[in-house]
Amino acid sequence: LLLDATGVVDGAERIAAGEVGLQEFRRQFEGPRRPVVITGAADGWAARRGWTAKKLARRFAEDEFKIGTDDDGYAVRLRLKYFLHYLATPRLAADDSPLYIFEGSLGRSGRGASLLEDYSVPEYFAEDLFQLVGEDRRPPYRWFVWGPARSGSGIHVDPLATSAWNTLLRGRKRWVLFPPGAPRELVKPDIPGVDREAASWFAHVYPRTREAGWPARWRPLEIVQAPGETVFVPSGWWHAVLNLEGTIAVTQNYVSSVNFPRVWKRTKVGRPKMAVKWYRKLARVRPDLAAMADRVDQGGEPSLSSASSSSATSSSTTPSSSSSSGG
């Protein structure tokens, strides 16, 4: 039943890549923080054709990919050929906590480095302000993800108020999203026996959202993502993701001129040393955003129009994440 999406009402709006311009996308979706599914953004990618189990095995069988962390917080890695053996063994892949590749060190030797050459960042997400602090200092932001049915991501909000996009290449994913401000105790309650796994959340917490007593204002948005579709997750949205079957995807978190005020506020608190370097870089190449950061620090909340007007002038002065993702 957990993997049966027959009764799921997909409430997401869908737009075709290229039919909505960048500024219109920011006005309709990114600014007001409205999730949306984009179709066709991956049509020209090599990953659209090449990210199959057989083809990836030929390229990366001996490479090690991250499948989790140990009790001390260190990455646990597994050679791809052994992960594929795991996927091919039903009794293993059907366990309560399925192994799930979530590799964030793309571009480094021995970890599927050439995967970056297989996709390009969709135009709506090309502005990448964290790139200004450098690859070694910025927080993790892009991941290659591959897992069997029942794997996924438990309920969470993306860090530092970043927004995210997720493009699915194989399989189907089920998403449940709650708008900014949804109470943590409501969407992530402490229930005995319920762990951080996606399957656990969908089995024990999700049914509560269908009960009559669930607050109407916190009703979730549900999505069944198909291959080739890109889900846009605005900053502040709680979301849980369950793989309905074996899936392969790529996802990135990003900071643009539009979500900059919220990210700046969180970064000042969560990554203060990085924030200092970031501000210095912004003062040189994006003085408009440095001024916006000053207003945020003084307690002001820049309006959507001011953030959008800043973003309209950013294309010639801000590096894009497409240049760092191998094009």
Side-chain angles (χ1 to χ4, degrees):
L1 292 178
L2 194 65
L3 303 178
D4 183 6
T6 304
V8 175
V9 178
D10 187 322
E13 183 174 351
R14 281 170 166 77
I15 61 172
E19 290 188 3
V20 176
L22 174 60
Q23 294 309 314
E24 185 64 16
F25 178 85
R26 287 175 165 175
R27 187 187 70 81
Q28 288 192 39
F29 303 106
E30 189 176 8
R33 292 199 279 179
R34 291 175 55 206
V36 67
V37 176
I38 304 160
T39 62
D43 283 355
W45 293 4
R48 191 73 176 90
R49 303 177 304 277
W51 284 13
T52 66
K54 182 178 292 187
K55 291 179 180 179
L56 291 171
R58 283 202 298 262
R59 294 168 64 186
F60 307 115
E62 298 299 328
D63 284 20
E64 294 184 341
F65 292 85
K66 182 179 177 180
I67 57 168
T69 54
D70 62 20
D71 292 339
D72 295 319
Y74 292 101
V76 176
R77 298 186 179 278
L78 186 69
R79 286 187 180 180
L80 186 62
K81 63 182 181 182
Y82 299 130
F83 179 74
L84 291 172
H85 173 73
Y86 168 84
L87 293 182
T89 309
R91 66 179 178 80
L92 296 178
D95 63 21
D96 289 337
S97 182
L99 296 184
Y100 192 24
I101 288 179
F102 215 90
E103 181 55 66
S105 300
L106 298 182
R108 297 184 183 179
S109 177
R111 298 177 190 173
S114 63
L115 288 169
L116 289 176
E117 301 171 3
D118 295 343
Y119 75 94
S120 57
V121 178
E123 63 168 327
Y124 303 127
F125 318 116
E127 189 179 27
D128 180 20
L129 294 170
F130 267 160
Q131 192 180 60
L132 293 172
V133 301
E135 286 293 313
D136 292 335
R137 186 179 289 268
R138 69 180 299 170
Y141 70 104
R142 61 186 176 198
W143 295 269
F144 167 72
V145 290
W146 184 355
R150 299 180 71 254
S151 61
S153 298
I155 191 77
H156 67 284
V157 177
D158 287 335
L160 299 178
T162 55
S163 298
W165 58 269
N166 179 300
T167 299
L168 184 61
L169 287 312
R170 292 288 180 274
R172 292 183 305 144
K173 289 179 180 284
R174 181 181 177 185
W175 295 69
V176 176
L177 302 95
F178 299 91
R184 180 186 182 92
E185 62 272 15
L186 191 67
V187 302
K188 194 176 182 179
D190 291 325
I191 302 176
V194 177
D195 56 31
R196 296 179 299 174
E197 300 294 334
S200 183
W201 187 90
F202 274 88
H204 299 285
V205 181
Y206 171 77
R208 296 184 174 195
T209 71
R210 315 321 303 162
E211 296 174 356
W214 188 271
R217 68 177 299 192
W218 305 126
R219 291 283 183 198
L221 170 66
E222 301 194 48
I223 301 170
V224 177
Q225 184 185 17
E229 291 188 329
T230 299
V231 174
F232 166 59
V233 183
S235 65
W237 279 72
W238 288 92
H239 51 287
V241 188
L242 181 70
N243 291 321
L244 297 175
E245 52 201 60
T247 66
I248 302 175
V250 62
T251 183
Q252 291 194 189
N253 289 59
Y254 74 98
V255 187
S256 73
S257 303
V258 177
N259 65 352
F260 172 77
R262 287 184 291 272
V263 176
W264 174 255
K265 181 181 290 188
R266 296 290 182 86
T267 303
K268 280 268 291 188
V269 175
R271 300 286 294 268
K273 292 182 179 179
M274 188 186 80
V276 171
K277 181 175 182 179
W278 195 24
Y279 182 86
R280 290 172 181 163
K281 289 278 190 176
L282 289 168
R284 289 201 296 270
V285 302
R286 290 296 304 274
D288 57 320
L289 292 181
M292 188 180 293
D294 291 336
R295 292 195 296 274
V296 171
D297 291 345
Q298 293 164 8
E301 291 293 338
S303 66
L304 171 60
S305 60
S306 65
S308 297
S309 63
S310 292
S311 67
T313 62
S314 67
S315 59
S316 64
T317 56
T318 304
S320 72
S321 52
S322 58
S323 64
S324 65
S325 64

